[in-house]
Amino acid sequence: MGHDLALLAPEITVLLTAVGALIAEMLRRPQISLVVAVIGLFVATGMTLRLLGTDTTVFDGSFRIDTLSLWAKLILLPATVLSMLLARVDVRGSAREGTVYSLLIFSTLGALVLAGAGDTMFLVLGTLLTGLATFALVAYPDTDPATEAAMKFFVFASVTTSIMIFGLSYWFGASGSTLLADLPGMETMPLAVILGFVAVVVGLGYKASLVPFHFWAPDAYEGAPLSIAAYLSVVPKIGALFALTQVVRELPPETGWVVVMAGLAVLSMTYGYLAALVQDNLIRLLAYSSIAQSGYFLLGILAVGSSDLALPSIILFAAAYAAMNLGAFAVVATTGRSLKDFDGLGRGRPLIGIAMVIFLLSLVGIPPLAGFVGKFMLFAAAIDVGFTWLAVVAIVNSVLSLAVYLRIIVPMYRLGKPASGAMEPWHRGVVIMAFAATLVIGLAAQFLLV
Amino acid sequence: MLPLVSLTLFLPLVGAVLILCLPKPTARTVHGIAIVSAALTLIGALAMWLQGVGGEGFSQIEELEWMPAIGAAYRVGVDGISLPLVLLSAVLFLVSLIYASSLRDRPRAYVALILLLETSAIGTFTALDGILFYVFFEVSLVSMYFMIAGWGHEDRQRAALMFFIYTLLGSLPLLLAILGLYLGSPDPTFDMRAWIANPPLEGAAAMWALIAMLITFAVKIPAIPLHTWLPAAHVQAPTVGSVILAGIMLKFGTYGLVRFALQMTPDAFREAGIVVLFFGVVSAIYGAFAALAQTDLKRLVAYTSVNHMGYVIVGVSVAALTLDPAIRATALDGAVLQMFSHGLVTSALFFLVGMIQERAHTREMGEFSGLLTTVPLLGWFFVLAAFASLGLPGLAHFPAEFQIFLATLGTTPIAVVVILGIAIIAGTFLKALREIFLGEPRDRWNKMPDLSPREILAVAPLLVLTVSTGVAPSWVLDVIHRTTSALVL
């Protein structure tokens, strides 16, 4: 048990950090709350670095300390820090600022639990922990749109999570165990396995905003504070996709899960970009774009177990996605939510302009940026397991995505009234860090190829 | 030993970064730094030229670990096919920057983009790693998009968008082909040398990879029917953009055709060669006829590129079809020399058209008459470049086209049809020359100034090289032939 706890040191640190941030808030010291949160998350990241290379489980196999769950921490903890810096601008001066930081950390803890889940109960725990914290975060501004968004989010989440729990009961019934590792032993009851799998896809699919479980995402993103939308599009999503990876690792191929993943990938990529193409509100545009990007993850997930490229591709793309998506949201935060706000941005504020271009081109997958390396690996993984047609579909969608993102880039350099204005130092910090990450992940990908 | 290739490759990038980092530099400083870094790059390319290439495979190889986990590395080097193109790039970018040195509209971003393009061009020609090649290939596309969108003519946004989407859509099949080659290798690697030495794909897989590559390169070249982006991009691009597009970026396609399609899927190419040849012939003839029909001078030059690149396709596909090493070497010698010559001649033509447009604000040929008396220097330069373009003996295109036709005749009698293209191009240029430069000078152009020293400096080196390549092609051909004669398929 003591050994188990040592392996869980990062998670425990995250938990203590959340509590610490809350205590600082009780003392009415929001700044200290932020400082505690940032330091705590960095310490947890450092602890994770020391564990890198470990591949074991704790609590009798129910929680996994493996490549996936360790990299989840290395990606999601820094991403949470960036989200908190963005949130600082949204909530500064309001009551209960520290609560927001604390909720963000609780939600991240949920995502980490999902990413390391080796047991169906951890799937439930992670989903609930992430969900409960994020409902509150979306509703935080106490405005009508925010409340409405949170309600939609909540209702949708309740239904999908209930379906997941219901489905998991079949798995329990069939195997007599809650461990994912016991799933392959249930070949006597294939129907139960399939039903359970479908339900898990529903439960995790909503969190990852895969089509057709995506309905809540654009509305919730739009109603929520911008920093929370940025956070939602990255941390809980990656947590859910990693959890999905942990689940399919144990599924026997006869269940046909590979085909389900391929189908969801096509739907998410295509529908996401088609819908993004007609948006004028950048938050909605980015929401649909993030739905499409979720589809790309599935190219790697369907190769899990059959290709050595699968896990590296998922991790690499997750890191790339976190950097470029947070960066794009940060630029939107400093520029404005309407497409019109970007007219002349590149001429008026050249550095922000260049950063935005880099984020968007990385989202398209243009080399040598992070998004390219990630997508490249995902395509390689899919082709490696014989899904060349899916890689072709993904590539065609990449071209579609170019049209989506160029709708933002083109007005930035069109002659027109150059936008100007001072930039929040917090926003600037996030943009710079995300920018550096987008370049570095592209050029130094070997460190993430595990 | 200095890492010559890497130095040459990254010098322009260093210049670009330097320019972007300077706080509030004057236009003079910006252009100065750019010209100096391009001049140093040319010196690097010349040093590479002096080092020369070996007979078989690549020389001057430099390697660095990059992503060992998946077998990707930073690998660069040259052979007789890439070295002339590196030299061509170094020359063209230097003269382009000299020509651009009068620009006052956001010069910083403009020359930084040109320098970035130079790095990506030299990188594309020297990369020996599949991923690295693709990276440079795509970076050039992005830079060109911003160049056209930011500094082009009236309808630049639409042309830039069309260019970008078209060529990105075009280049993604190559990505699939590269992944196919990677996964097909017995020991998965992105090392292009390994792919060339032991083509990893065979049968249907090789054919699919070849088709993917052909789509990509046909868009880039551009070949019929995937050429429709070219006239719009050329017409809307600023002069330097057109020069780089025609002089360098079209070569990405033909270079890729040799490096990837011919060398990595040789058997599939042999099977499909006759179809590729057909498209080459159609491109050559169609480009010639389309050029004949133009009244806009810039579009005319753009369409002659379709014609000239058609000959390159013919040359490469003949090399793929034939089993005789001597004929293959001749065909490839011609094709590579044609790429080199086209870079010199067409760039000179685009410069001169740009100069005419700058003075007259129109490119309609009917608007001009008797310019040879008004601006004699510009006129004679144009005449020389036009004659080179129509394949006059003693100028750069002749030895190239001659070898292509020679090899084609030795393989299929289709050569007769291709030669028709030369006749039409000759007619096109003669008609244009008569209309613009001969006849009665018009009053409205009386005050037109002749070439300035800056403009002479931009065009004259290209014409000197055009003549020297035409008169004594051996200085380039020897380098090319070392590699092509050793090429075993």
Side-chain angles (χ1 to χ4, degrees):
Chain A
M1 195 69 180
H3 181 61
D4 284 5
L5 289 181
L7 287 169
L8 283 176
E11 278 84 356
I12 294 168
T13 313
V14 172
L15 179 63
L16 292 178
T17 308
V19 175
L22 209 52
I23 291 172
E25 167 68 15
M26 283 158 65
L27 302 172
R28 294 275 174 265
R29 290 282 183 281
Q31 253 119 346
I32 295 179
S33 180
L34 180 63
V35 171
V36 167
V38 171
I39 292 176
L41 295 188
F42 273 123
V43 170
T45 313
M47 289 171 161
T48 313
L49 278 175
R50 285 189 43 221
L51 289 172
L52 217 52
T54 318
D55 187 5
T56 179
T57 58
V58 293
F59 303 139
D60 298 325
S62 53
F63 191 76
R64 294 171 178 171
I65 311 287
D66 58 3
T67 322
L68 211 53
S69 84
L70 290 171
W71 275 102
K73 294 188 245 307
L74 293 180
I75 296 165
L76 298 184
L77 294 176
T80 308
V81 171
L82 291 189
S83 309
M84 286 196 301
L85 299 184
L86 282 182
R88 165 81 178 158
V89 181
D90 283 339
V91 299
R92 186 175 37 199
S94 69
R96 304 203 175 281
E97 185 186 334
T99 318
V100 169
Y101 306 138
S102 171
L103 282 172
L104 280 170
I105 301 171
F106 273 120
S107 163
T108 302
L109 186 62
L112 297 181
V113 167
L114 278 173
D119 186 290
T120 52
M121 288 302 107
F122 274 93
L123 288 179
V124 176
L125 178 65
T127 307
L128 291 178
L129 189 51
T130 325
L132 291 173
T134 45
F135 305 147
L137 286 168
V138 171
Y140 180 80
D142 194 19
T143 58
D144 284 348
T147 313
E148 190 192 326
M151 274 314 289
K152 259 187 197 160
F153 186 19
F154 175 70
V155 170
F156 204 87
S158 314
V159 174
T160 51
T161 309
S162 314
I163 292 175
M164 179 169 89
I165 294 172
F166 176 66
L168 289 175
S169 69
Y170 281 97
W171 278 0
F172 180 70
S175 68
S177 150
T178 54
L179 281 183
L180 290 176
D182 289 334
L183 281 176
M186 311 184 292
E187 59 282 291
T188 48
M189 304 180 72
L191 192 63
V193 180
I194 291 170
L195 277 176
F197 172 64
V198 170
V200 169
V201 168
V202 173
L204 294 175
Y206 109 84
K207 213 167 253 312
S209 52
L210 289 169
V211 176
F213 318 109
H214 65 283
F215 294 109
W216 62 277
D219 296 339
Y221 287 15
E222 198 186 358
L226 201 133
S227 52
I228 302 306
Y231 176 84
L232 279 178
S233 76
V234 172
V235 178
K237 168 177 288 195
I238 291 177
L241 288 163
F242 278 23
L244 201 54
T245 311
Q246 297 281 23
V247 170
V248 300
R249 277 169 119 170
E250 308 295 348
L251 280 180
E254 303 85 68
T255 38
W257 63 269
V258 177
V259 183
V260 175
M261 290 291 128
L264 288 178
V266 172
L267 280 179
S268 299
M269 291 187 292
T270 314
Y271 178 79
Y273 283 138
L274 283 178
L277 205 51
V278 296
Q279 304 299 327
D280 287 323
N281 179 325
L282 272 184
I283 301 297
R284 293 189 78 84
L285 189 152
L286 285 175
Y288 281 110
S289 123
S290 93
I291 289 168
Q293 303 279 353
S294 298
Y296 281 87
F297 276 99
L298 299 187
L299 265 70
I301 293 181
L302 63 79
V304 166
S306 318
S307 168
D308 290 339
L309 295 168
L311 284 188
S313 70
I314 296 167
I315 291 169
L316 195 57
F317 190 63
Y321 172 76
M324 60 202 184
N325 217 44
L326 283 173
F329 268 101
V331 175
V332 173
T334 170
T335 309
R337 290 173 169 231
S338 159
L339 209 51
K340 283 203 175 53
D341 297 326
F342 279 75
D343 277 347
L345 179 75
R347 298 172 72 93
R349 298 160 77 183
L351 292 180
I352 294 293
I354 290 176
M356 189 61 172
V357 168
I358 293 286
F359 295 138
L360 295 176
L361 291 183
S362 178
L363 282 166
V364 179
I366 301 273
L369 306 169
F372 165 71
V373 190
K375 280 193 181 176
F376 185 82
M377 294 293 295
L378 288 172
F379 296 166
I383 295 176
D384 201 19
V385 295
F387 276 81
T388 311
W389 67 267
L390 187 58
V392 174
V393 172
I395 279 179
V396 172
N397 272 302
S398 292
V399 177
L400 188 58
S401 80
L402 183 72
V404 171
Y405 300 120
L406 278 181
R407 287 185 63 220
I408 311 176
I409 296 179
V410 172
M412 286 168 57
Y413 293 91
R414 196 188 289 157
L415 288 170
K417 186 171 62 69
S420 62
M423 192 173 184
E424 273 285 343
W426 297 96
H427 285 155
R428 185 182 331 192
V430 176
V431 170
I432 290 171
M433 281 186 269
F435 182 77
T438 306
L439 288 180
V440 169
I441 294 168
L443 296 171
Q446 80 270 28
F447 298 113
L448 285 90
L449 288 170
V450 276
Chain B
M1 242 350 266
L2 280 170
L4 264 185
V5 182
S6 303
L7 270 179
T8 313
L9 167 56
F10 287 113
L11 262 169
L13 186 66
V14 171
V17 171
L18 197 66
I19 287 168
L20 289 178
C21 289
L22 285 180
K24 302 222 177 295
T26 61
R28 254 183 100 85
T29 329
V30 166
H31 290 300
I33 295 174
I35 290 174
V36 168
S37 54
L40 290 174
T41 310
L42 179 58
I43 292 173
L46 287 172
M48 279 163 70
W49 189 271
L50 289 179
Q51 286 242 339
V53 294
E56 256 178 71
F58 294 90
S59 311
Q60 309 184 29
I61 291 164
E62 286 149 28
E63 271 189 279
L64 218 94
E65 271 208 347
W66 182 24
M67 290 187 267
I70 58 165
Y74 170 81
R75 306 180 172 101
V76 290
V78 286
D79 68 356
I81 296 165
S82 52
L83 192 53
L85 295 172
V86 172
L87 185 69
L88 173 72
S89 310
V91 172
L92 267 187
F93 277 99
L94 178 59
V95 296
S96 296
L97 283 164
I98 292 174
Y99 178 77
S101 65
S102 66
L103 183 96
R104 293 292 173 269
D105 172 26
R106 291 166 291 150
R108 217 171 150 186
Y110 191 65
V111 301
L113 278 176
I114 298 179
L115 289 169
L116 184 62
L117 268 171
E118 179 163 17
T119 285
S120 58
I122 298 178
T124 307
F125 295 133
T126 55
L128 296 183
D129 184 274
I131 297 192
L132 197 65
F133 177 89
Y134 191 77
V135 167
F136 285 125
F137 193 83
E138 291 283 275
V139 167
S140 71
L141 197 163
V142 178
S143 329
M144 184 50 85
Y145 164 77
F146 282 107
M147 196 151 170
I148 299 176
W151 289 268
H153 301 301
E154 321 77 43
D155 195 17
R156 58 177 175 273
Q157 294 292 350
R158 207 182 54 83
L161 201 63
M162 187 166 161
F163 164 78
F164 198 25
I165 294 192
Y166 218 117
T167 51
L168 185 85
L169 182 64
S171 61
L172 286 166
L174 177 66
L175 188 65
L176 281 178
I178 289 177
L179 282 171
L181 289 164
Y182 169 69
L183 294 166
S185 310
D187 180 21
T189 174
F190 285 101
D191 191 339
M192 283 162 61
R193 286 168 298 172
W195 292 349
I196 291 169
N198 288 309
L201 298 175
E202 48 190 37
M207 189 53 83
W208 279 112
L210 176 72
I211 291 170
M213 293 172 189
L214 288 177
I215 294 173
T216 297
F217 298 134
V219 168
K220 209 78 179 175
I221 288 175
I224 307 295
L226 301 174
H227 67 289
T228 47
W229 62 271
L230 178 99
H234 265 307
V235 169
Q236 296 303 328
T239 298
V240 170
S242 304
V243 167
I244 295 170
L245 201 54
I248 305 294
M249 287 177 70
L250 302 192
K251 306 317 175 286
F252 288 5
T254 47
Y255 173 77
L257 206 56
V258 179
R259 184 65 80 224
F260 280 83
L262 184 64
Q263 292 195 282
M264 296 175 192
T265 53
D267 297 331
F269 203 162
R270 184 163 300 142
E271 266 178 62
I274 198 76
V275 181
V276 182
L277 182 79
F278 171 76
F279 277 107
V281 173
V282 173
S283 287
I285 303 290
Y286 173 89
F289 273 117
L292 187 63
Q294 300 306 318
T295 57
D296 179 319
L297 196 52
K298 209 169 179 183
R299 288 181 82 91
L300 184 149
V301 180
Y303 274 112
T304 63
S305 294
V306 178
N307 162 273
H308 285 131
M309 291 291 104
Y311 298 143
V312 181
I313 303 174
V314 170
V316 178
S317 40
V318 165
L321 281 169
T322 183
L323 293 167
D324 180 343
I327 296 182
R328 180 186 304 136
T330 311
L332 279 180
D333 284 349
V336 179
L337 188 62
Q338 174 84 342
M339 297 184 212
F340 185 77
S341 310
H342 178 262
L344 298 172
V345 175
T346 305
S347 305
L349 281 172
F350 271 120
F351 271 131
L352 292 163
V353 172
M355 291 164 190
I356 293 176
Q357 182 181 14
E358 228 169 75
R359 290 163 165 76
H361 301 288
T362 176
R363 295 178 305 251
E364 280 300 314
M365 293 192 285
E367 302 275 316
F368 300 99
S369 177
L371 281 193
L372 209 50
T373 17
T374 337
V375 281
L377 200 55
L378 196 162
W380 286 115
F381 274 14
F382 198 96
V383 171
L384 181 62
F387 278 136
S389 185
L390 62 80
L392 201 70
L395 296 169
H397 270 307
F398 178 73
E401 284 165 12
F402 180 75
Q403 295 195 72
I404 294 175
F405 296 142
L406 197 65
T408 313
L409 262 184
T411 317
T412 82
I414 209 164
V416 186
V417 190
V418 194
I419 290 173
L420 194 64
I422 298 225
I424 304 163
I425 286 290
T428 306
F429 271 115
L430 291 177
K431 185 173 139 255
L433 289 177
R434 193 196 63 213
E435 219 167 304
I436 302 173
F437 293 103
L438 304 180
E440 280 299 303
R442 285 190 193 162
D443 288 345
R444 54 186 290 216
W445 309 124
N446 264 347
K447 296 239 164 53
M448 195 187 265
D450 209 347
L451 296 185
S452 69
R454 170 181 63 88
E455 290 169 329
I456 296 174
L457 217 52
V459 182
L462 301 178
L463 294 178
V464 169
L465 285 173
T466 302
V467 174
S468 65
T469 309
V471 175
S474 58
W475 73 273
V476 201
L477 263 181
D478 286 351
V479 174
I480 301 173
H481 195 71
R482 282 186 83 102
T483 297
T484 55
S485 59
L487 206 67
V488 193
L489 296 177

